[in-house]
Amino acid sequence: MTDLTPITALGAAKPAEVSHGSLTLTERPDIGLASLALRKGVTCPEGLPAAGEATDRVFWIGPGQWMIEGPGQADSDFAAQVKGDFPGCSVTEQTDGFSVVEVHSHDGAAAIEALLAKLVNIDPVALAPGCAHRTALHHMTVFVIRRADDQIAIIGMRGYAGALWHAVDLAARRLES
Amino acid sequence: MSRLSGGLIDRDTPLNFHFNGRSYQGYAGDTLASALIANGVRLVGRSFKYHRPRGIFTAGSEEPNALVTLREGARAEPNTRATMTELFDGLVARSQNHIGSLEHDLLAVNDLLSPFLAAGFYYKTFMWPRAFWEKLYEPAIRRAAGLGALSMEPDPDAYDKGFLHCDLLVIGGGAAGLAAALTAGRAGARVILADEDSRFGGRLLAESDTLNGAPAVDWVAAVCAELDQMPNVRLMSRTTVFGAYDHGIYGAVERVADHLPTPGACVRQTLWRITARRTVLAAGATERHIPFADNDRPGIMLAGAMRAYANRWAVSPVPAGDKVAIFTNGDDGHRTALDLIAKGVRVSHVIDTRTDAPRFGDYDLLSGATVTGSRGRKGLRAIRVAQDGRETWHIVGALAVAGGWNPNVHLASHHRGRPVWDESALAFLPHNPPMGMVPAGACVGKGGTAEALADGMRAACAALAELDFSAKPISLPEAQNASAAQAPYWHVPGTRRAWVDFQNDVTVKDIALAHKENMRSVEHLKRWTTLGMATDQGKTSNVSALAVMAEITGATIPETGTTIFRPPYTGVALSVLGGGDTGEHFRPKRLTPTHGWAKAQGAEFVEVGPWMRAQYFSRDGETHWRQSVDREVLAVRRDVGLCDVTTLGKIDVQGTDAGEFLNRVYANMMGTLKVGMVRYGLMLREDGHLFDDGTCARLAEDHYVVTSTTANAGAVYRNMEFARQCLWPDLDVQLISTTDAWAQIAVAGPKSRALLQRIVDGFDLSNEAFPFMACAELTICKGLRARLFRISFSGELAYEVAVPARYGQALMARLMEAGADLGVTPYGTEALGVLRTEKGHAAGAELNGQTTAQMLGLGRMVSAKKDSIGAIMSRREGLAQDRRRLVGLKSCTPEVQIPAGAHLFTKGATQSLKTDQGWVTSACYSPHVGGYIALGFVENGDRRMGEILTAANPLEGQSFEVEVTSAHFVDPEGGRLRD
Amino acid sequence: MKFSGFKVMQQALTGHRGWAPLWRNPEPKPAYDVVIIGGGGHGLATAYYLASNFGITNVAVLEKGWLGSGNIGRNTTIIRSNYLLPGNQPFYEFSMKLWESQEQDLNFNSMVSQRSIINLFHTDGQRDAYRRRGNAMHLSGAGGEMLSQEALREKLPFLNFDNARFPIKGGLIQSRAGTARHDGVAWGYARAADQRGVDLIQNCEVTGFRIEGGQVTGVETTRGVIGAGKVGVAVAGSSSRVMEIAGMRLPIESHVLQAFVSEGLKPTIPGVITFGAGHFYVSQSDKGGLVFGGDIDGYNSYAQRGNLPVVEDVLEGGMALMPMIGRARLLRAWGGVMDMSMDGSPIIDRTHIDGLYLNGGWCYGGFKATPASGYAFAHLLATDTPHETATAFRLDRFARGYVIDEKGVGAQPNLH
Amino acid sequence: MLIPHPLLGLRDAQEFTYLGDASLMSRPAPEAGEAAFCDYVFLRDNPAGVHRELWFHEQGDRSWLVVTRDTVTHEILGAELASDYARSSS
């Protein structure tokens, strides 16, 4: 493996983590990402989530397009692996295109939904566990994935990592007060 | 103090406050208005135009008179309604719009001059001498006008915004609203109940009605408690829904901390965007008055407001012993008499315009009587009553006026649905409300407690039925409907001024004058007299004014016109509409992968769209940015330089038809590009003008990487998706942006190959193996996946190397380390700009959306062999015959700068837009040339090499001589980048 | 009746009994030499200049609502001549000169106030573009100056200089620019036209054109057929709707632009200020309200109302630029329908139908153009040749490739 | 406004970028010539009423939609994927 040392999207050696009240924010640089797009005439592989939905490793990003997640595989050639799993599809390496912030609530859905109400204009009903949407957040574009009742992932463009962290952190802090 | 018994104030929590420097005491639950009345303060402000003494007129957000500047210093908040300000300990307020003290306002002279200041007078004078308008008249008018003053300091508080979604939004928490919310809440619908007041109940808090034989507040408390328990219901007090927007979206402001001395850790206010599937508008009604001579004195108040002060806040409008009179055109005024009497306030008379006025209690009733005048400049002392042709003065300390109620149809008309006049209700009722909105209760004329409760429930059931909720009727409390019988009576005729719009000083006379001058349509009346344009937006005046105009024209009210309302319902702080993202967080910052490294190197940063880019890296001893930039430029020309170019847009294009697709979006051929090669490409807009340029690399038969300029990255991607989805959906192409995924570093200069050789993993960089415009996927630094492009923006031998973004910073450091002996130097956007200008490469200033390929001398790149976006329109006469061409410009005096933006003229020619020969687009000092150079567009520029032109900058009083040269100041043959 | 300070006093002392209607309410005649469709600023100004410059007084202005009910009644009142392109700049400078003598010409105080406009810039690229523009202004006699950041700190100390996402680098000022009382402009032209014999006919909507052999002979209205030698259409916002009746498709889309006014405040902002890093421009009215606006909503609309996101966008800009306005309150917001043309510039031209003329495509810049637009349109109607400052505003410029695209965004109206 | 995305349901219009008249999808064939392109690029029906128009879900799934909307009331009558619309109308 290379002798260069990577840094996180927030510019540090170690991922950031902070807690405000019942919410904990964690940066997840370990997640490998690759986008998958169907080619004309290729039949859709089994088990890929439908529009607006996510499975534990895949979320829908557009018609005939998905993002594949590989926790812990950021340092592998994840795109190559995905290409192998989905022959005949267009695969693009995305691991470094994004910055993943996971938010976990220690007292259930309420805190998560209160946070979402301050960040994105999506009806909580459409962000039930298993849902994933791309939307606007403080003038940025993000994917919001409801991993579970008490957990969401907010995935923003890497260059905006600092601004995204600021926005989520501030909202969480204000919920505390 | 004139406190009465009872009320909803907490006598155990006294609060101190200051008004105009004097300290007073009130209680928790008071508003500033109720506390001032309780302290016997009657004079609270001055009117806008005549500076008439004014007192508190209402008990709600419709208040036209009692506007104060609340708080001090940077938190000073002008034009704040005392009637909506919750009292807190230490509150400080000042009256506004007077010179000298409130009691002795020097501008009160305007009142004496009022004959000269009639409606529209200013359109007729102040015209001579012309110069005097800006110098004399206008400044004087501006000083006198306006209400409160801003502190001119930045707002120190924090603000927030958020998004809520519900099945049913209930606007207004009075009888109708509570019934609606309870009905919907029990049906399991997601409900939001919003009310501008600090507590729910609406008029139920202000009236003496009982529900189920108990005080109404008991029922209100029980309902709120139940709603509060429901997980599907959100109660939002202190929240004003100010606007109805498309598709069930409402704007609302929650005053989170305005009732506290300071917000502390939390935000002051939150802007909520509420998306509601259905809405019940239960906004209630606003009482109107009856204009009569001198009806604007402190102490004259709306009857419903006086009732509210007595019942909710336990304050009497007069000191104990003094008398209060009531002037009404209906039964409603009599309720005020009864409630005041019940509270022990002395009522002198109820003056009822109706000859057959009923009597509801033991008080002095004057039927068929009107109030025709008043005395008491700074506080009402007496009123004149006319009955059967006889006029009598009566000593009173306060007068309640009841002219009927105007439904609050505002939000129902925000989509321009005009309310309609209802003769029986003597009011405008909502008509064509926004889709999904069901008005209910007093705002549809059902103001009686029992009917409001029932109507609220009905509205909720109706709204929810459309959403397939089976809302069941709830058991409503036993309630009464106080009689609302009234006879139309709009104003008391007279020769003295009778105010219709208190704040803007519009009187019945002004309306008559507007009529005389043919300003008769409602909009003309409004604009000519400024009626209804004050901070209260005519809540207490518009309908009365219409009625007066109707009377003058002899038309009916509906014939005369209707009132239409626009957002916001009441004033909204500009801060909260800004949503809190301000200062450096106005827009998010986008950082490059090497940002931290550049910062550590002491780079200066510059905003490039959303990006922050290193502008230059100053070294010790460099005192001027030019020194740093010149050094960086020379380093690139002599040795090798490094620049983070990650910001260029990168679009991954795959699919079997990728080549054909790119042929159609690029003006030049891309399908023929060999795998492993890069080509410079031009994109046009469909109108034939230049859109963007960049490189296109072919990594495989079915895989390209398109780069766009930093500025157009988003638009290029959008247009390519448009072409893919809308124009040629049958092509097999897939697009995705990968701009952030790859850290891309330009390695430029004669020694770039030598440097790169030291980090690639045994990759042959020789000219033969990896020629100009080649590209490859490879590994570097012992196994790191990378992409290498041999492209040059500087005109030197150059490469761009891309690695996964998280390694960008380490790669930059490694290149610096590995190239130390080669004189490797980081360079920023300034040097980048100089390098490309020396080479004559176009950038933003040349690709400004107004230029063409021909103007850049690239006309031949627009392929005639194929169709592509913009190709056909680029051949239109006006574009084809455009002879302006991009040229280089050399300052005839090398050390003198040519300013970009200067216009170019034939030497000696007169300078005008007609003789204009072009303009300077980009300019810089060229250490290579050893003087100032520039690029510019010049008429027939390609045929004027060597000509001396005048670069004129009259804006800054400059003029220079410049020589027209080739745009390629460096290596015109392009040998360097090919070795 | 002549307006003057003396008249005001005399009337004040005699109980205002002597005031006359500002204009008559005439019944439409069977025919006129010229019929102007649209009783807004441009239509009324056209009628006035037809009468005053060319002695053509047998003119009717047909207004479907009340005089001045279009965009002249709802705008941010800014007047300026700070354009870049040769097709535009001389025209707007001509308009500025007409503003400077308007009150005396019309004997009506439309409160033309040359309080200056300052366009702020935040990058070197913007500075260079403003320099090019400022020089074009000088070359057309409009004047203008570059202001350094220091000069701005002096002039506008309340701007956010030190905590800004996009720091202010400087500004381009045109001191002759400023504001005018929008309703007053409409009323001034209306009264002056009426005094010269022009019939101003309100509540009269045009429903059709009478066209015989490619020549317009009159218009059908809700108040009957009215014959006309020539018909001038000045209905910006609704140009497409009206010209569609004549069978024409235009290079125009209708969009909604919102404008805003705050509650009255003591003097706060000296002139007109525009933000260069967001959508926000502001001035203060004589009455004390901050009058401001931003970008159009961005979708085709005839609804005369906008939506919340633009309100937020405008105030984000306002707060970023001048955070001291934060505790003032928004009083009123409204939306007007704009003729957004394909290059962001207007059209004053003949049509393929003889006797039918079009004045439109003003985007959101129509108010400042009111005097010159009326003047140039009157010139075209009277002489059949374009006024010298309006020669570029041709309908065929799109097809021929001579667009006047100040912003350089091409044929996408919502970006202009 | 809310755009009824055919795949995602009601979405905040702020997530979208507006282009304009859906006729922009009917790009003339190159042989149609300059005049046809001028009409295509510059002329619009601009109706006061029902309008078919293009919205790009830029801050969403990146699909182009053809939305049918009343320009007077802003009522939205329908929306479909532009790629489907293009195929069905070609």
Side-chain angles (χ1 to χ4, degrees), chain B residues 799-837:
Chain B
Y799 303 79
E800 289 185 11
V801 55
V803 296
R806 64 193 185 282
Y807 288 101
Q809 185 149 311
L811 174 61
M812 183 65 97
R814 172 65 52 86
L815 285 164
M816 287 300 291
E817 178 188 318
D821 60 320
L822 302 173
V824 65
T825 304
Y827 63 100
T829 54
E830 287 297 327
L832 188 73
V834 173
L835 290 161
R836 70 95 189 171
T837 305

Side-chain angles (χ1 to χ4, degrees), chain C residues 137-343:
Chain C
M137 289 158 62
H138 270 262
L139 292 166
S140 72
E145 282 173 72
M146 281 297 226
L147 295 177
S148 66
Q149 198 208 55
E150 297 62 38
L152 283 168
R153 281 179 186 269
E154 188 77 9
K155 255 184 144 56
L156 309 171
F158 50 80
L159 296 184
N160 178 6
F161 288 99
D162 302 317
N163 167 35
R165 172 67 178 84
F166 300 101
I168 298 164
K169 296 256 174 84
L172 174 65
I173 182 171
Q174 184 187 23
S175 304
R176 291 167 59 234
T179 57
R181 171 82 181 98
H182 57 91
D183 288 325
V185 175
W187 299 336
Y189 277 116
R191 174 168 166 272
D194 174 86
Q195 285 175 340
R196 285 161 178 76
V198 172
D199 284 356
L200 308 178
I201 301 163
Q202 305 185 66
N203 303 309
C204 177
E205 181 170 6
V206 169
T207 55
F209 290 91
R210 289 287 173 94
I211 297 167
E212 292 159 21
Q215 164 77 45
V216 71
T217 60
V219 293
E220 295 155 7
T221 78
T222 49
R223 296 178 65 171
V225 174
I226 302 175
K230 291 179 175 181
V231 176
V233 179
V235 295
S238 303
S239 296
S240 299
R241 301 169 74 172
V242 172
M243 297 313 280
E244 185 196 12
I245 307 175
M248 286 181 69
R249 286 175 88 221
L250 300 178
I252 286 172
E253 287 179 4
S254 294
H255 285 259
V256 60
L257 175 69
Q258 299 188 66
F260 310 87
V261 63
S262 78
E263 294 177 351
L265 300 161
K266 291 298 178 195
T268 303
I269 291 175
V272 182
I273 303 169
T274 75
F275 187 26
H279 298 108
F280 179 72
Y281 50 89
V282 63
S283 65
Q284 187 171 17
S285 75
D286 285 340
K287 204 160 169 277
L290 302 179
V291 181
F292 56 97
D295 199 7
I296 55 177
D297 270 43
Y299 44 78
N300 288 46
S301 175
Y302 287 93
Q304 285 187 286
R305 57 185 180 83
N307 275 294
L308 194 53
V310 167
V311 183
E312 295 176 34
D313 181 66
V314 169
L315 271 311
E316 281 170 12
M319 290 304 296
L321 181 64
M322 39 180 79
M324 94 297 180
I325 62 173
R327 295 180 93 89
R329 291 192 203 83
L330 178 67
L331 174 62
R332 192 170 168 89
W334 59 93
V337 180
M338 311 287 129
D339 262 13
M340 295 302 295
S341 71
M342 290 291 152
D343 62 358

Side-chain angles (χ1 to χ4, degrees), chain B residues 400-458:
Chain B
V401 182
W405 294 77
N406 293 325
N408 290 332
V409 301
H410 306 66
L411 285 122
S413 68
H414 278 183
H415 289 194
R416 308 187 61 74
R418 297 181 172 277
V420 292
W421 181 255
D422 182 302
E423 199 53 44
S424 60
L426 287 176
F428 282 103
L429 302 184
H431 183 62
N432 292 334
M435 243 182 291
M437 178 191 283
V438 186
C443 80
V444 293
K446 295 191 165 74
T449 307
E451 59 183 350
L453 289 164
D455 200 45
M457 182 174 75
R458 171 204 59 85

Side-chain angles (χ1 to χ4, degrees), chain B residues 489-803:
Chain B
Y489 193 93
W490 298 107
H491 74 108
V492 184
T495 53
R496 291 180 64 83
R497 286 174 296 168
W499 273 261
V500 179
D501 180 325
F502 288 104
Q503 192 178 137
N504 273 356
D505 283 317
V506 180
T507 66
V508 171
K509 279 184 174 182
D510 294 306
I511 297 172
L513 180 58
H515 176 266
K516 195 175 182 50
E517 300 192 286
N518 197 13
M519 288 296 194
R520 293 173 195 178
S521 88
V522 178
E523 289 289 339
H524 282 152
L525 167 66
K526 232 178 68 187
R527 290 150 188 267
W528 188 245
T529 63
T530 74
L531 178 127
M533 291 182 157
T535 60
D536 59 337
Q537 289 284 285
K539 289 192 177 65
T540 56
S541 61
N542 286 350
V543 174
S544 309
L546 262 175
V548 172
M549 179 58 94
E551 192 180 286
I552 296 169
T553 54
T556 65
I557 289 175
E559 284 164 357
T560 306
T562 161
T563 54
I564 183 131
F565 299 91
R566 296 173 178 276
Y569 175 64
T570 56
V572 181
L574 301 186
S575 285
V576 76
L577 288 172
D581 274 344
T582 192
E584 62 166 330
H585 297 297
F586 164 56
R587 291 289 181 264
K589 280 184 183 148
R590 201 170 175 185
L591 305 183
T592 67
T594 61
H595 187 86
W597 174 86
K599 207 167 179 174
Q601 300 298 308
E604 282 294 318
F605 291 93
V606 61
E607 299 78 17
V608 181
W611 293 95
M612 299 302 291
R613 297 188 69 180
Q615 188 174 16
Y616 55 89
F617 299 78
S618 58
R619 293 254 177 96
D620 297 349
E622 290 173 345
T623 55
H624 189 282
W625 65 269
R626 260 279 313 285
Q627 296 170 306
S628 315
V629 174
D630 291 357
R631 172 181 47 76
E632 292 171 12
V633 170
L634 288 170
V636 172
R637 297 256 177 251
R638 186 188 58 235
D639 304 319
V640 55
L642 304 174
C643 185
D644 186 327
V645 293
T646 304
T647 61
L648 294 176
K650 306 179 201 71
I651 300 166
D652 201 61
V653 183
Q654 299 191 45
T656 50
D657 298 323
E660 171 58 22
F661 177 77
L662 293 173
N663 272 346
R664 300 185 191 184
V665 297
Y666 274 109
N668 51 321
M669 212 52 101
M670 283 300 169
T672 56
L673 182 63
K674 290 192 181 55
V675 173
M677 294 303 286
V678 184
R679 188 171 287 170
Y680 175 72
L682 286 182
M683 289 187 190
L684 308 184
R685 290 192 311 242
E686 194 66 272
D687 70 357
H689 285 84
L690 266 178
F691 172 45
D692 198 57
D693 73 340
T695 58
C696 179
R698 192 168 198 170
L699 300 178
E701 241 349 276
D702 59 357
H703 189 185
Y704 290 75
V705 174
V706 164
T707 65
S708 74
T709 60
T710 302
N712 288 333
V716 166
Y717 179 78
R718 189 187 316 138
N719 290 12
M720 286 174 70
E721 281 290 3
F722 175 76
R724 184 180 79 97
Q725 298 176 40
C726 301
L727 298 182
W728 303 299
D730 296 327
L731 294 182
D732 176 39
V733 190
Q734 298 82 37
L735 306 174
I736 195 152
S737 166
T738 63
T739 302
D740 292 48
W742 297 89
Q744 195 143 317
I745 296 175
V747 183
K751 298 179 183 166
S752 52
R753 181 184 288 123
L755 173 54
L756 282 173
Q757 201 65 67
R758 301 175 181 183
I759 64 158
V760 296
D761 299 342
F763 183 84
D764 183 354
L765 284 172
S766 70
N767 208 22
E768 300 61 41
F770 199 68
F772 181 55
M773 295 308 256
C775 68
E777 294 180 286
L778 73 170
T779 69
I780 65 171
C781 303
K782 307 197 180 65
L784 177 60
R785 285 170 298 109
R787 290 172 175 175
L788 189 64
F789 310 86
R790 187 172 163 188
I791 51 181
S792 174
F793 200 42
S794 59
E796 301 299 328
L797 171 69
Y799 303 79
E800 289 185 11
V801 55
V803 296

Side-chain angles (χ1 to χ4, degrees), chain A residues 2 74 90 93 96 117 123 159, chain B residues 163 190 734 740 781 785 806:
Chain A
T2 178
S90 293
E93 170 159 0
D96 287 42
D123 188 336
Chain B
F163 309 90
R190 291 190 300 161
Q734 298 82 37
D740 292 48
C781 303
R785 285 170 298 109
R806 64 193 185 282

Side-chain angles (χ1 to χ4, degrees), chain B residues 109-366:
Chain B
V109 63
N110 287 6
D111 197 28
L112 304 174
L113 298 176
S114 61
F116 302 95
L117 311 182
F121 79 98
Y122 31 73
Y123 295 111
K124 304 168 179 172
T125 178
F126 302 135
M127 288 175 277
W128 294 271
R130 206 175 97 192
F132 275 35
W133 175 250
E134 278 98 347
K135 288 192 179 55
L136 189 71
Y137 305 133
E138 189 180 40
I141 290 171
R142 284 177 176 272
R143 270 195 303 279
L147 292 163
L150 288 171
S151 70
M152 299 307 281
E153 295 175 60
D155 187 339
D157 292 335
Y159 298 81
D160 207 354
K161 75 166 145 190
F163 309 90
L164 297 174
H165 301 76
C166 61
D167 298 311
L168 187 70
L169 167 64
V170 181
I171 302 169
L178 287 169
L182 191 58
T183 307
R186 286 184 183 167
R190 291 190 300 161
V191 179
I192 293 175
L193 174 62
D195 193 289
E196 64 178 353
D197 202 340
S198 57
R199 55 192 294 173
F200 294 98
R203 283 301 296 182
L204 292 175
L205 307 176
E207 305 293 1
S208 53
D209 305 20
T210 58
L211 293 177
N212 293 332
V217 287
D218 298 355
W219 180 79
V220 172
V223 170
C224 289
E226 181 179 346
L227 291 172
D228 200 38
Q229 291 310 307
M230 298 183 181
N232 54 317
V233 176
R234 183 184 187 112
L235 291 176
M236 301 180 76
S237 61
R238 298 187 176 109
T239 301
T240 303
V241 177
F242 62 79
Y245 298 93
D246 280 315
H247 308 149
I249 295 171
Y250 291 81
V253 166
E254 180 178 16
R255 289 176 293 278
V256 179
D258 278 353
H259 59 294
L260 307 171
T262 67
C266 64
V267 298
R268 177 187 167 216
Q269 299 180 345
T270 298
L271 173 66
W272 290 105
R273 197 188 303 177
I274 302 174
T275 304
R277 299 174 66 201
R278 291 292 182 278
T279 301
V280 168
L281 179 68
T286 300
E287 196 170 20
R288 59 193 177 223
H289 63 105
I290 304 172
F292 62 88
D294 299 318
N295 59 326
D296 66 331
R297 306 203 187 277
I300 300 178
M301 186 185 280
L302 287 171
M306 197 177 283
R307 224 151 59 215
Y309 285 116
N311 290 327
R312 176 175 175 179
W313 290 288
V315 292
S316 158
V318 292
D322 286 10
K323 289 184 178 172
V324 178
I326 292 106
F327 178 32
T328 183
N329 66 347
D331 294 354
D332 198 66
H334 295 251
R335 299 173 74 186
T336 305
L338 296 172
D339 286 4
L340 290 175
I341 290 165
K343 290 270 187 177
V345 178
R346 293 179 63 197
V347 169
S348 98
H349 301 88
V350 172
I351 300 131
D352 195 316
T353 58
R354 299 170 297 178
T355 47
D356 58 348
R359 172 189 299 284
F360 295 86
D362 178 18
Y363 47 75
D364 210 339
L365 172 64
L366 302 176

Side-chain angles (χ1 to χ4, degrees), chain A residues 20-90:
Chain A
H20 300 293
S22 62
L23 294 175
T24 300
L25 283 59
T26 316
E27 187 187 9
R28 289 291 307 276
D30 62 288
I31 299 177
L33 293 171
S35 60
L36 170 74
L38 286 186
R39 292 204 170 177
K40 289 266 181 313
V42 176
T43 49
C44 184
E46 289 300 301
L48 292 173
E53 294 177 6
T55 63
D56 59 348
R57 289 292 170 90
V58 186
F59 59 94
W60 184 91
I61 58 175
Q65 284 180 296
W66 295 265
M67 190 76 82
I68 319 293
E69 295 185 84
Q73 299 182 67
D75 270 314
S76 70
D77 185 352
F78 188 58
Q81 181 189 322
V82 171
K83 207 162 177 45
D85 301 346
F86 298 94
C89 291
S90 293

